[in-house]
Amino acid sequence: MAGVTRFAPSPTGPLHLGHAYSALIAASRGDRFLLRIEDIDTARYKPEWEAAIFDDLSWLGLRWERPVMRQSERQDAYEQALIRLDSLGLTYHCTCTRGDIRAALSAPQEGAPVIGPDGPIYPGTCRALGHKTGAVRLHMAKAMERLGDVRFIETGTRAGAHIISAEHLITQVGDIVLARKDIGTSYHLSVVVDDAAQEITEVTRGEDLFDATAIHVALFRLLNLPVPLFHHHKLIRDENGKRLAKRDDARALSRYRAEGATPDDIRRMVGL
Ligand code: GLU
C-alpha cells in the first residue's frame, strides 16, 4: 500500500500492546510514516509519557520522519478551521455543563437518551441562544444540509465503501464539540486538521474509533480537505476479551521490555 500513514498517540499513559500493534500496522501500510504527538489534553499530558513513546517506538524498530508534529503547537491551524466553520454559519457557543446536559436529557418528554461517539446526544439547549463564549459546537443539521450523506473508503476490518447518512449524523451523533472551552480545540477537529496538514493518505486506527471516523469525514468535507482512506484494525484484548486501556500498565511495553522481551516477541504477541 503506497502512501502516507501516521501513528498519533496521546502522551497520557504508557504505550501498551495495542499501541504497538497500531503503530506497526500504520508503519507497514505507508511508504512514508509520520508520528504526531496528540498533546492537547494538557491536564493529562506528562513529558515522561512522551519520552517513553519515542523510546518504545524506536525500540520496536520503527523510524519516522522529522520534525514530529505536536498538537500543542497547532492552535492557529485549529483556530482557522473554526473560523471557516463559523463563517459557514455552522457553529455556536455552548455554556452547558455535563450536569445541565444530563438534566435536559432526563426531562420526562425526552425518552431514553441516544448515546453517540462522544456520549449522550446534545439536546440543543444553546443552539439558538447566541452566546459569545463557551465551548464551540457544530450545528449538525445545518452541516448536513450542506453536505448530504458522506462517504469514505475503509481498507481494514470493515473493508469497503461506507455511506454515513445525514440522518445518522444528525440523530446518532448530534452537535459535537469542536472546541472545548479550556483547550480551544477538540480531538475531532485537531485530528482532521492535522491529518490534512500532514497529507495523510490512509488513517490507521483501532476499530473502536469507527464511529468517530464518521464525524471526521464530515469535517474533512466541511473544511474542503481531501478525505483520506481509513484503515480500522482489530483491537488487542486481554485474556478476558477486554480491550487494553492506558491504565492497563500490566501490558505496557516498558513492562515487557523490563522482563526481557524482544521486539519480535511483541510482534508475535499481537499476531504479526
Ligand atoms: N490520539 C488518539 C489516541 O491516542 C488516536 C488518534 C487517531 O487515530 O484518531 O487514541
Side-chain angles (χ1 to χ4, degrees):
M1 165 90 214
V4 188
T5 58
R6 50 70 162 178
F7 178 56
S10 309
T12 54
L15 293 191
H16 55 55
L17 285 182
H19 296 105
Y21 181 67
S22 199
L24 289 165
I25 294 275
S28 74
R29 293 190 63 80
D31 36 33
R32 288 180 56 207
F33 174 60
L34 310 184
L35 184 62
R36 182 169 70 234
I37 299 295
E38 302 216 320
D39 55 352
I40 52 172
D41 194 345
T42 43
R44 290 165 63 217
Y45 169 85
K46 282 205 189 129
E48 52 268 40
W49 294 135
E50 181 176 325
I53 289 172
F54 293 123
D55 189 48
D56 282 340
L57 295 179
S58 312
W59 174 79
L60 270 177
L62 292 171
R63 300 291 174 261
W64 52 89
E65 292 184 17
R66 287 174 170 77
V68 169
M69 184 177 273
R70 308 169 57 92
Q71 292 193 322
S72 55
E73 294 167 357
R74 302 268 305 146
Q75 204 59 42
D76 286 353
Y78 308 144
E79 185 63 29
Q80 287 308 312
L82 287 170
I83 290 173
R84 177 178 159 83
L85 295 171
D86 181 53
S87 72
L88 297 173
L90 303 180
T91 65
Y92 63 92
H93 281 102
C94 170
T95 57
C96 291
T97 61
R98 276 173 209 274
D100 294 336
I101 296 173
R102 254 197 315 274
L105 289 172
S106 65
Q109 70 275 14
E110 292 295 333
V114 180
I115 308 298
D118 290 348
I121 306 296
Y122 181 62
T125 321
C126 289
R127 213 177 270 147
L129 297 184
H131 293 306
K132 296 280 181 258
T133 58
V136 178
R137 286 187 183 272
L138 179 67
H139 191 310
M140 192 61 90
K142 280 195 194 166
M144 291 303 112
E145 250 170 60
R146 240 191 127 75
L147 290 186
D149 300 345
V150 294
R151 290 146 215 274
F152 68 92
I153 308 284
E154 154 74 358
T155 58
T157 52
R158 292 192 234 173
H162 289 259
I163 300 179
I164 309 129
S165 71
E167 177 69 16
H168 173 87
L169 281 159
I170 295 167
T171 62
Q172 310 297 308
V173 175
D175 294 358
I176 50 142
V177 170
L178 293 169
R180 273 164 46 183
K181 191 173 166 234
D182 54 342
I183 58 175
T185 185
S186 62
Y187 159 63
H188 299 307
L189 185 74
S190 306
V191 86
V192 166
V193 168
D194 291 343
D195 280 333
Q198 291 192 296
E199 299 181 355
I200 302 302
T201 57
E202 188 185 76
V203 170
T204 308
R205 55 164 67 121
E207 60 191 3
D208 54 327
L209 288 172
F210 198 88
D211 291 338
T213 291
I215 299 172
H216 303 167
V217 176
L219 290 177
F220 277 110
R221 292 279 318 285
L222 291 169
L223 292 167
N224 238 342
L225 299 169
V227 180
L229 301 172
F230 290 88
H231 185 92
H232 295 88
H233 58 71
K234 68 167 185 175
L235 300 177
I236 303 297
R237 297 177 183 277
D238 66 15
E239 56 284 353
N240 302 316
K242 232 176 108 258
R243 80 183 169 92
L244 304 183
K246 277 269 160 71
R247 52 196 170 281
D248 237 324
D249 287 10
R251 294 194 175 58
L253 289 179
S254 52
R255 182 91 176 247
Y256 289 108
R257 288 176 65 180
E259 287 166 2
T262 66
D264 278 344
D265 293 333
I266 301 293
R267 284 173 187 269
R268 261 192 302 278
M269 277 183 234
V270 296
L272 288 172

